[in-house]
Amino acid sequence: MDDTTGEITPTILVHGGAWAMPDETELAETNVGGVKAAVKVGYEVLVNGGSAVDAVESAVRCLEDNPVFNAGHGSVLNSLKEVEMDAVIMEGDHLNAGAVACVQNIANPDSLARLVMDKTDHVLLVGQGANMFATEMGVPSVPMETLVTPNAVKRREEMKTYNQAIKKQYEIRKIDEAVPVQTGHDTVGAVALDSKGNVAFATSTGGINAKRPGRVGDSPLIGSGGYCDNRVGAVSTTGHGEAIMKVIQHKKHLIKLYST
Ligand code: GLY
């Protein structure tokens, strides 16, 4: 907020996933460039009077369309070498939210999550039900191959099991230990504040390489994949889904324990 005029400055923050950015210039440039492009798209929405929820949806769509990121086009492959995606969106005024999990053949899962929020009485639709809803809403079904990148195929070949993928992506090393180049990252997201003071967040992911079919991570779960409330703020998370879900439950337990 501007202290002199009392006006709220529209703001957007975007992330392209948790990982140690490799030194390879080209890779770093495409990642940073992709995040900047998404910021620009979301910011345009805000300065043209759009809502925070419109801005985060537009920014995340931009990241889903960019094959560099693990979401939409560019998603990692599961153990069957298929793409299954999770996404969520939420607005912080009335706490409306929508999410999809294990959805296939959709170019922009976060926009489908938005439709769940706007057009249903539910918060989360999964698998076949989510795809049936997409058809009902006129969202085009795209061939899976159009979402698969050569990099995703390469990563799946390199990391044959989920455990290998976790170890490679999230292993904690001592600060001075030689860090092998990470081969990928997970999840994209955005948070925004619009000129009316409303906040929103969106998160979208292909999940984690070689995951079991039907595995749902933290991303589509309200409170794990992110949260927002006009009275508090907004957050979009990224990282190892199973670990995040456990820690979030633990924190909720502690809050309850210390507030009773
Ligand atoms: N945070 C993404 C996932 O674990 O699926």
Side-chain angles (χ1 to χ4, degrees):
M1 176 163 332
D2 184 317
D3 287 340
T4 47
T5 62
E7 279 176 16
I8 293 168
T9 312
T11 307
I12 184 158
L13 294 169
V14 167
H15 72 79
W19 69 324
M21 186 86 73
D23 288 336
E24 299 158 55
T25 322
E26 202 186 321
L27 205 51
E29 269 173 16
T30 50
N31 274 268
V32 174
V35 168
K36 281 184 180 168
V39 166
K40 201 161 176 272
V41 165
Y43 190 65
E44 284 291 315
V45 172
L46 291 174
V47 293
N48 285 311
S51 67
V53 78
D54 288 338
V56 292
E57 183 191 351
S58 301
V60 167
R61 271 183 83 95
C62 184
L63 296 164
E64 288 172 337
D65 290 340
N66 188 332
V68 164
F69 300 102
N70 174 15
H73 182 201
S75 290
V76 295
L77 305 182
N78 68 11
S79 60
L80 297 178
K81 301 192 175 162
E82 292 183 355
V83 171
E84 277 185 342
M85 300 163 289
D86 301 337
V88 63
I89 194 162
M90 183 174 186
E91 57 83 25
D93 188 13
H94 298 99
L95 308 187
N96 289 316
V100 290
C102 286
V103 73
Q104 296 192 294
N105 306 98
I106 298 291
N108 296 108
D110 215 72
S111 292
L112 186 58
R114 172 83 189 261
L115 287 169
V116 172
M117 175 170 95
D118 289 347
K119 306 281 185 199
T120 79
D121 300 318
H122 307 302
V123 169
L124 173 61
L125 294 179
V126 307
Q128 206 186 2
N131 279 98
M132 279 167 60
F133 173 65
T135 308
E136 198 184 310
M137 289 290 110
V139 176
S141 171
V142 299
M144 189 171 304
E145 307 81 73
T146 62
L147 302 174
V148 178
T149 60
N151 187 40
V153 174
K154 186 165 164 263
R155 284 172 64 190
R156 182 66 186 78
E157 288 304 318
E158 284 166 359
M159 290 179 274
K160 300 237 178 297
T161 67
Y162 180 76
N163 275 344
Q164 260 181 308
I166 293 300
K167 218 164 178 267
K168 187 107 179 163
Q169 276 182 228
Y170 302 111
E171 194 181 9
I172 296 168
R173 298 176 186 83
K174 291 199 193 93
I175 202 104
D176 54 356
E177 211 174 325
V179 180
V181 172
Q182 281 179 293
T183 54
H185 50 110
D186 73 278
T187 314
V188 301
V191 296
L193 167 70
D194 64 30
S195 55
K196 294 198 171 90
N198 293 316
V199 296
F201 91 92
T203 304
S204 182
T205 187
I208 293 176
N209 199 42
K211 64 185 182 179
R212 277 178 187 273
R215 177 263 189 189
V216 176
D218 57 311
S219 303
L221 308 179
I222 307 298
S224 286
Y227 195 72
C228 65
D229 183 328
N230 282 0
R231 294 164 299 177
V232 181
V235 60
S236 162
T237 64
T238 169
H240 177 200
E242 280 74 7
I244 293 173
M245 287 187 273
K246 286 182 221 168
V247 171
I248 296 285
Q249 289 314 316
H250 174 68
K251 291 267 185 267
K252 278 187 195 156
H253 172 70
L254 285 183
I255 290 165
K256 199 165 162 225
L257 206 69
Y258 286 110
S259 59
T260 49

